[in-house]
Amino acid sequence: MARASEFIALSEEALRAVTGPSSRHTALIEDAFHVLIESPGGGVAVSGSAKDRADARRAIEALAARADSGAEVTEADARASLSLARQGKSAPGGSALVSGRRGPIAPKTSAQAAYLQMLERCELTFGIGPAGTGKTFLAAAYGATLLMKGQVDRLVITRPAVEAGERLGFLPGDLNEKVDPYLAPIWEALDQIIGADAVRRRRDKGEIEVAPLAFMRGRTLSHAFVIVDEAQNTSRLQMKMVLTRLGEGARMVVTGDPTQVDLLNPRDSGLSHAVRLLDGVEGVGIATFDASDVVRHKLVERIVRAYDADTLGRRPKPDLEES
């Protein structure tokens, strides 16, 4: 029995994004929704059952919208669009941030879009969830956007150096050289967004500042965007200290994964404690990510789900929707 087909018109840029390198993206969509995708010109023809075509259409339209906005479309974006389509969701809303070296940076999932909206309207935002969900990258992107637009004077980045007990004096080099290894994910994000040379110039001018968490004590951070990364490794006292550093015109984002605490006493972690205390407080936003929001390699999502299942005392279900 012949399967019904429908045509989806696409711009040239969107068609390239939906197809992907060596037709990789269309192959992912075909495998995920059991459809056949062809490109007769000016768009794609999708053949399959009504439900399968509808799911594939959502994924295709999500990729097309991202491409038409000028944002880069990678395999991670294709996989994110598949996840949204399976949940019956359309492309995430929210405008793109600053244009990075590979094009505008836009949210890949609904959770990322909600996170960006919180960053825009809240003075203090918590980004909570597993590795690979983009919470730190988007915080750095948003902070870089504010800095480049002149809406803040400084981008201040801090992170607890648990492995060194925050006693960094024995490490070689100046303060930046001691702290930089702990902030590699943020430097990688900023390099992608504004370029390594621009990051270096702004650091030299004091517009981008890094410091271990212990160096925040006694300071008032005014007209700054502050990123507190890996916050699950702050103690309750450290968390209170850093949250109360906010000064006039400042905003802060606190990111972390409560399941990855490296403290000797995990129950002393300040992140979950702060989220519990501040939930519902005016000016505070709490964005929560889960395994479905992972935008790294697909295996990362499976790893997160397996560990979550182990924590709950049950075996993870096999992913039957993808080989």
Side-chain angles (χ1 to χ4, degrees):
M1 179 177 172
R3 298 192 298 177
S5 178
E6 65 177 291
F7 182 76
I8 303 172
L10 299 171
S11 68
E12 184 178 339
E13 187 66 29
L15 180 58
R16 284 198 295 269
V18 169
T19 303
S22 303
S23 299
R24 175 61 176 162
H25 297 170
T26 51
L28 288 172
I29 298 170
E30 288 177 331
D31 290 344
F33 303 116
H34 312 293
V35 296
L36 174 66
I37 298 177
E38 299 174 297
S39 304
V44 293
V46 183
S47 301
S49 71
K51 181 183 184 305
D52 291 339
R53 293 199 314 272
D55 289 341
R57 173 182 277 276
R58 275 191 290 269
I60 289 168
E61 289 177 344
L63 290 178
R66 185 172 181 84
D68 286 338
S69 75
E72 181 188 21
V73 177
T74 66
E75 184 172 326
D77 299 308
R79 293 187 181 279
S81 73
L82 299 183
S83 178
L84 286 171
R86 288 194 189 100
Q87 300 170 55
K89 298 178 181 178
S90 300
S95 57
L97 295 175
V98 65
S99 180
R101 293 189 298 169
R102 298 179 181 176
I105 295 166
K108 299 176 185 290
T109 69
S110 297
Q112 287 191 353
Y115 182 47
L116 288 176
Q117 290 170 2
M118 287 184 190
L119 290 175
E120 291 176 354
R121 70 172 189 263
C122 299
E123 287 80 21
L124 171 62
T125 301
F126 290 90
I128 312 299
T133 51
K135 55 190 184 295
T136 298
F137 179 84
L138 288 177
Y142 188 75
T145 301
L146 296 182
L147 183 62
M148 295 174 71
K149 290 181 177 179
Q151 295 178 8
V152 295
D153 296 335
R154 288 179 297 161
L155 178 59
V156 179
I157 305 159
T158 186
R159 183 178 186 180
V162 170
E163 296 86 346
E166 295 211 9
R167 295 181 176 89
L168 303 176
F170 68 89
L171 295 175
D174 60 18
L175 178 61
N176 285 338
E177 291 171 326
K178 295 175 193 289
V179 177
D180 275 3
Y182 296 97
L183 297 168
I186 291 181
W187 295 132
E188 291 171 5
L190 290 176
D191 287 350
Q192 287 185 46
I193 297 160
I194 61 178
D197 291 340
V199 170
R200 193 175 303 109
R201 288 195 302 270
R202 289 182 181 271
R203 289 187 71 176
D204 291 343
K205 293 164 62 177
E207 294 179 359
I208 297 177
E209 176 188 351
V210 297
L213 194 65
F215 283 57
M216 294 292 106
R217 189 174 301 279
R219 299 183 59 184
T220 299
L221 302 171
S222 302
H223 305 290
F225 186 79
V226 185
I227 299 174
V228 183
D229 192 34
E230 296 291 340
Q232 74 275 5
N233 288 328
T234 62
S235 68
R236 295 186 180 192
L237 289 176
Q238 287 174 321
M239 179 62 76
K240 179 182 178 182
M241 177 273 292
V242 75
L243 293 179
T244 55
R245 298 309 91 200
L246 281 171
E248 182 181 357
R251 304 169 83 172
M252 181 181 290
V253 58
V254 179
T255 66
D257 179 357
T259 70
Q260 296 291 315
V261 178
D262 297 318
L263 300 174
L264 292 177
N265 181 7
R267 289 176 295 181
D268 189 42
S269 175
L271 180 59
S272 297
H273 181 250
V275 169
R276 185 170 66 253
L277 288 180
L278 300 177
D279 189 11
V281 172
E282 184 179 356
V284 176
I286 301 173
T288 303
F289 300 87
D290 60 28
S292 67
D293 300 306
V294 171
V295 293
R296 290 182 185 169
H297 193 286
K298 184 66 178 176
L299 180 59
V300 176
E301 178 182 346
R302 298 190 188 115
I303 290 170
V304 171
R305 290 189 185 280
Y307 274 88
D308 287 347
D310 181 68
T311 299
L312 295 173
R314 55 180 172 80
R315 294 186 62 186
K317 293 181 180 179
D319 189 347
L320 300 178
E321 294 179 298
E322 282 197 62
S323 57

